Amino acid sequence: MKKCVRLRAMEPEDLDLLYRIENDPEVWHVSATNVPYSRYALHDYMARTTGDIFVDHQVRLMIENEEGIVVGIVDLVDFDAKHSRAELGLIIERPFQRQGYATLVLQQVAHYARTVLRLHQIYACISINNEASLALFRKLQFAESAVMKDWLFDGHTFVDAVLMQKIL
């Protein structure tokens, strides 16, 4: 069966998955999260978000596979309307990693950012230790623009991060 993904808005039934992902300390080193979120806080976030990047300065989309199973979440955050750019965040749940979903998601998000949101660029800060993600972004023609020294704290030490940019 050919792999495909569908990006959709968050729904109330996504609360458990969002709770699980946001509270997984193993992924905190690739995000700004460093404390657990309560179900109440996440429910409140879901209720308050409009889904409009121009209002919320971010948009979060759920990733469904060809069977309608949510396999991850993709975010465009730190939206800057003046400079027409946003930072990209992507989490694929462990059982679905290395199956091609991330490639499909990044292609769709780039198309969405260019054609719907009219962004000029998207970017991601990726740990130099995350070889799989760096290879993925390179494969999709994201350019390595800078190395930020001691940019991310992995729970034990500070590590460098590579700024990957894609001009749309």
Side-chain angles (χ1 to χ4, degrees):
M1 178 188 298
K2 184 177 188 277
K3 296 274 185 212
C4 64
V5 292
R6 180 174 82 95
L7 305 179
R8 64 162 176 79
M10 289 184 299
E11 297 290 348
E13 57 268 18
D14 296 320
L15 179 61
D16 288 339
L17 175 107
L18 188 62
Y19 181 81
R20 185 173 61 248
I21 288 174
E22 291 290 353
N23 289 300
D24 182 352
E26 290 191 25
V27 298
W28 287 355
H29 69 278
V30 298
S31 71
T33 302
N34 61 6
V35 296
Y37 284 96
S38 69
R39 285 186 191 281
Y40 176 80
L42 292 171
H43 180 272
D44 187 52
Y45 162 75
M46 291 174 74
R48 284 184 297 107
T49 190
T50 68
D52 183 343
I53 198 168
F54 292 93
V55 174
D56 300 331
H57 299 281
Q58 65 178 345
V59 65
R60 173 169 279 175
L61 301 168
M62 307 307 289
I63 305 163
E64 288 185 349
N65 69 7
E66 59 280 350
E67 298 166 355
I69 298 168
V70 177
V71 300
I73 301 172
V74 63
D75 300 308
L76 290 171
V77 298
D78 293 334
F79 169 66
D80 185 325
K82 179 179 179 182
H83 299 292
S84 193
R85 65 179 175 237
E87 182 176 0
L88 174 70
L90 172 64
I91 295 284
I92 301 292
E93 290 255 85
R94 279 183 200 87
F96 302 101
Q97 291 177 357
R98 300 190 186 280
Q99 295 180 33
Y101 292 119
T103 298
L104 295 170
V105 169
L106 289 178
Q107 290 169 335
Q108 280 193 30
V109 167
H111 178 75
Y112 171 74
R114 180 181 64 250
T115 61
V116 176
L117 301 177
R118 302 284 188 222
L119 296 181
H120 175 65
Q121 67 177 287
I122 53 178
Y123 64 93
C125 294
I126 303 171
S127 168
I128 61 162
N129 299 329
N130 191 340
E131 295 175 16
S133 288
L134 289 170
L136 171 66
F137 278 74
R138 288 179 188 123
K139 179 177 88 171
L140 295 172
Q141 284 79 50
F142 278 73
E144 294 179 40
S145 298
V147 174
M148 284 93 72
K149 299 293 183 187
D150 290 347
W151 197 255
L152 301 170
F153 185 69
D154 69 4
H156 304 287
T157 186
F158 285 93
V159 296
D160 296 350
V162 179
L163 176 65
M164 303 290 290
Q165 290 177 278
K166 184 170 186 78
I167 305 300
L168 304 170

